[in-house]
Amino acid sequence: MNASKVREEGNFTEEVKEFIPPTHVSTDPYDIEATTGDLSLLPKYHYKFKEEYKATHVIRPGSTDELSKLMKKCYESSIPMTIRGAGSSCYSASTPTRGGVVIDMRRMDKIHDIDPKNMTVRCDAGISWLRLIETLLDYGLGPKCYPTSYKASIVGGFIVTSGKVGVGVLRNGPMKNAIRSLVFVKPDGSVEKITRDSQGDLKLNDIISSFGILGAVAEVEMEITLLNKSMEYVGYGFHTYEMAVKFFRTLKDNDASKPFFLSLSDKNFEKYAHWTYPARAFFVYAVYSDTPSVTSQCLAFAKDVASNLDGLAVEGWYLKEKWRDLADTEVNVGRWCQNLIFQEYLVSDDKLEDFYDFYIKKTSRQRYRNAFYLMSGTKGENRIKLFGLSDIANSREFFGIKAVFNDITNFNYRNNDSLYTIGVVNTQYFLKYNSERASYLRNLKYNLDPEDLLNSYRLTKAKMRSWRLGLLFWIAKRLYKTA
Ligand SMILES: Cc1cc2nc3c(=O)[nH]c(=O)nc-3n(C[C@H](O)[C@H](O)[C@H](O)COP(=O)(O)OP(=O)(O)OC[C@H]3O[C@@H](n4cnc5c(N)ncnc54)[C@H](O)[C@@H]3O)c2cc1C
């Protein structure tokens, strides 16, 4: 690094410390290293990429004003920025791609106002869901929806990654429906309030699923809900996927009362995620939260449907523990291998069988350990997460599994569905299959951020050429077959 660059960085650090407390302006190598990754494991060549584009600073603004000044300073000094919450969305969504500053949002964790009369809360976007849930609990209130990663992940992260699937979504609608307004900081540091009806150059719809490329969500005003007095758990095992899906779909489509949470998993997933697991090949799990009379009706309804589909009831203690451990469930799978690989798909209700058939076709001749987990979103949408448990010493297997996921991804897009999470890693697919949306976002981004300083290499352009990726998977498939 040349002397003037070092001097420039020194000036930048000191200038930022004038408006953000010095302890929150970090150049500590450990802070920097921690923000280069997330839970998704990457092959070696990605590490080379990550090493080269590590951040120089991790800065934690504590208010909208500090965030706005920080982004203005970076923008004026042409310093790349990456917005980061808990880093739980994976696929390098919140890791730097051009060095510069990682903006860690988690110091922005204040609740400004709880309004039980209008059933709304106004809070900073960096607050964790867990802290928000715990605070609202004192008022007998709760968020309408939140991700199962709620223990760590922040409110802003769920908004920009889509908020289409998670706890409460089937019953109360996706995150977008709960938002009344956002305080939004654009890449140049200017602050704008965006409501459901905003008709300016940025609309609420643009921000949903934008993965932070258009600016930072600083504050959120959202609708909340009364906590219900009764919570009941339903769980049945099935011999076949066909029966399990029928049961899942019947619970999902029952307009009398929608589950607060609904999932379908295969036996492998249950085995890797919990200490004990249900006996049958597939397991459907539902949680109801309503008045005592409605939840008991739901239990009776589920029992009735399950008995017609030869479902086997799972013991109550297992169902309660599953709810208690919901946030750890997916993470637990990683304990069983050195190199966990996963991909998340958005699959429509009517394509659940198609997706599974293709998945089985692709994996039946492979020897890798796998798991399947389906979580319901709003009517019509689901997130399917496929896991591959691989060994760090077996890179052929690692690439082989990636190649299988690549085939399933292409199939799912051709079947008019998509990936659930994009990030840096999956941008390639987004550009190929969602080219219209990509070009819309590119124009929007160019107007707001012509130097592409904020969260670059997500949604609008990819770092890797698609032919290289194709070649890589082609080779991987052949090597894995011969391994
Ligand atoms: C165990 C587990 C369970 C999960 N369950 C669900 C689930 O039920 N539903 C679901 O949708 N996802 C789920 N996820 C994925 C992930 O947790 C969610 O997408 C979560 O909302 C991401 O929040 P985060 O704070 O970790 O954001 P990060 O991963 O840090 O960031 C995600 C993206 O948002 C951007 N970003 C973050 N904060 C802001 C902000 N304030 N303004 C603008 N951009 C911002 C980042 O730059 C990045 O592009 C799960 C993940 C795990 C590991």
Side-chain angles (χ1 to χ4, degrees):
M1 192 184 290
N2 65 36
S4 69
K5 179 87 178 131
V6 173
R7 249 194 326 272
E8 270 170 35
E9 272 178 14
N11 285 346
F12 173 78
T13 311
E14 291 316 310
E15 283 166 21
V16 172
K17 283 179 181 171
E18 283 169 17
F19 57 85
I20 293 187
T23 45
H24 297 298
V25 181
S26 175
T27 52
D28 183 302
Y30 294 105
D31 270 344
I32 287 168
E33 194 64 41
T35 61
T36 60
D38 51 42
L39 286 175
S40 46
L41 290 163
L42 299 171
K44 253 190 202 147
Y45 65 85
H46 275 292
Y47 281 108
K48 192 170 144 237
F49 166 75
K50 281 165 46 162
E51 192 63 32
E52 201 175 332
Y53 294 108
K54 266 192 206 170
T56 51
H57 296 74
V58 176
I59 302 182
R60 296 179 278 268
S63 65
T64 302
D65 184 51
E66 286 183 11
L67 175 66
S68 151
K69 284 181 177 149
L70 173 63
M71 290 176 74
K72 182 167 190 275
K73 180 96 212 129
C74 291
Y75 188 84
E76 287 172 355
S77 317
S78 296
I79 294 176
M81 304 166 251
T82 307
I83 308 170
R84 190 170 172 100
S88 72
S89 92
C90 305
Y91 310 96
S92 301
S94 54
T95 57
T97 47
R98 295 179 58 197
V101 173
V102 165
I103 302 175
D104 183 338
M105 295 293 297
R106 288 173 296 177
R107 221 179 113 237
M108 290 183 61
D109 64 351
K110 323 253 171 335
I111 295 179
H112 301 287
D113 182 39
I114 298 173
D115 182 348
K117 198 164 144 244
N118 288 310
M119 297 294 273
T120 55
V121 62
R122 205 162 51 75
C123 60
D124 286 345
I127 191 169
S128 76
W129 282 104
L130 183 62
R131 212 168 89 71
L132 183 63
I133 291 167
E134 285 177 347
T135 310
L136 290 174
L137 194 62
D138 290 342
Y139 298 78
L141 302 167
K144 283 190 150 180
C145 62
Y146 51 91
T148 58
S149 56
Y150 64 90
K151 278 191 187 167
S153 63
I154 67 165
V155 168
F158 197 45
I159 295 171
V160 304
T161 55
S162 90
K164 284 182 174 177
V165 173
V167 180
V169 170
L170 176 58
R171 195 184 150 83
N172 301 321
M175 186 62 209
K176 188 183 113 181
N177 294 9
I179 298 170
R180 286 266 177 98
S181 67
L182 302 174
V183 175
F184 195 70
V185 183
K186 294 182 186 173
D188 65 359
S190 57
V191 180
E192 187 172 324
K193 183 169 176 178
I194 295 173
T195 65
R196 288 171 176 175
D197 311 318
S198 285
Q199 292 303 322
D201 53 353
L202 266 182
K203 297 175 193 62
L204 188 56
N205 256 346
D206 299 326
I207 293 160
I208 307 293
S209 308
S210 68
F211 285 84
I213 65 169
L214 304 174
V217 181
E219 294 169 38
V220 187
E221 182 195 4
M222 66 177 134
E223 291 171 2
I224 47 184
T225 179
L226 267 180
L227 287 181
N228 284 300
K229 296 217 163 47
S230 168
M231 190 162 250
E232 293 287 358
Y233 312 90
V234 164
Y236 286 89
F238 296 88
H239 287 302
T240 64
Y241 179 76
E242 196 193 352
M243 289 299 178
V245 165
K246 269 191 188 152
F247 183 62
F248 175 91
R249 221 183 253 132
T250 311
L251 299 191
K252 189 167 180 175
D253 291 344
N254 176 24
D255 289 327
S257 184
K258 303 272 184 206
F260 191 52
F261 180 77
L262 179 63
S263 68
L264 186 166
S265 37
D266 72 357
K267 193 171 178 172
N268 286 346
F269 180 79
E270 292 302 308
K271 183 173 82 179
Y272 295 132
H274 304 285
W275 292 114
T276 55
Y277 49 93
R280 293 210 175 154
F282 298 95
F283 174 58
V284 177
Y285 178 63
V287 178
Y288 288 96
S289 167
D290 217 309
T291 60
S293 75
V294 174
T295 52
S296 64
Q297 279 166 29
C298 293
L299 290 192
F301 174 75
K303 192 174 171 191
D304 210 34
V305 179
S307 72
N308 288 332
L309 296 167
D310 189 27
L312 178 69
V314 172
E315 288 174 54
W317 65 265
Y318 187 80
L319 307 180
K320 273 192 190 155
E321 278 191 11
K322 197 168 163 69
W323 182 245
R324 186 196 65 198
D325 299 338
L326 194 67
D328 306 322
T329 319
E330 289 176 35
V331 181
N332 285 348
V333 180
R335 292 183 315 199
W336 293 84
C337 67
Q338 292 170 319
N339 210 359
L340 184 70
I341 312 164
F342 48 86
Q343 185 60 283
E344 296 163 358
Y345 303 88
L346 190 65
V347 182
S348 347
D349 285 349
D350 59 347
K351 309 255 176 64
L352 292 175
E353 285 90 349
D354 278 6
F355 184 93
Y356 191 75
D357 287 350
F358 191 79
Y359 165 63
I360 291 300
K361 195 171 126 199
K362 278 284 135 189
T363 51
S364 56
R365 274 177 288 132
Q366 310 288 354
R367 278 154 294 155
Y368 76 86
R369 289 180 294 160
N370 54 40
F372 177 98
Y373 184 45
L374 192 174
M375 207 197 290
S376 170
T378 192
K379 198 170 171 140
E381 291 180 322
N382 307 280
R383 179 186 79 147
I384 292 183
K385 188 160 179 171
L386 300 181
F387 297 85
L389 287 74
S390 106
D391 182 344
I392 204 115
N394 187 352
S395 52
R396 276 185 186 186
E397 183 183 62
F398 176 87
F399 282 109
I401 299 173
K402 284 263 193 191
V404 169
F405 287 175
N406 173 57
D407 284 349
I408 298 173
T409 304
N410 286 320
F411 167 82
N412 200 43
Y413 271 110
R414 283 197 288 264
N415 217 11
N416 295 321
D417 282 329
S418 62
L419 285 172
Y420 187 70
T421 309
I422 302 298
V424 177
V425 175
N426 284 332
T427 283
Q428 201 61 260
Y429 298 108
F430 184 76
L431 293 176
K432 182 171 172 189
Y433 292 105
N434 289 93
S435 53
E436 244 176 68
R437 172 93 179 145
S439 122
Y440 172 78
L441 286 171
R442 200 174 298 117
N443 286 337
L444 209 54
K445 182 159 175 61
Y446 183 76
N447 289 333
L448 293 165
D449 179 17
E451 282 190 70
D452 190 18
L453 296 171
L454 185 66
N455 277 23
S456 45
Y457 296 107
R458 289 145 181 94
L459 305 173
T460 57
K461 65 175 181 189
K463 192 86 187 167
M464 203 182 198
R465 301 233 174 88
S466 63
W467 67 263
R468 263 193 81 190
L469 205 69
L471 183 65
L472 209 87
F473 288 138
W474 187 83
I475 296 171
K477 263 199 244 177
R478 266 129 202 97
L479 281 177
Y480 187 43
K481 264 189 193 148
T482 58

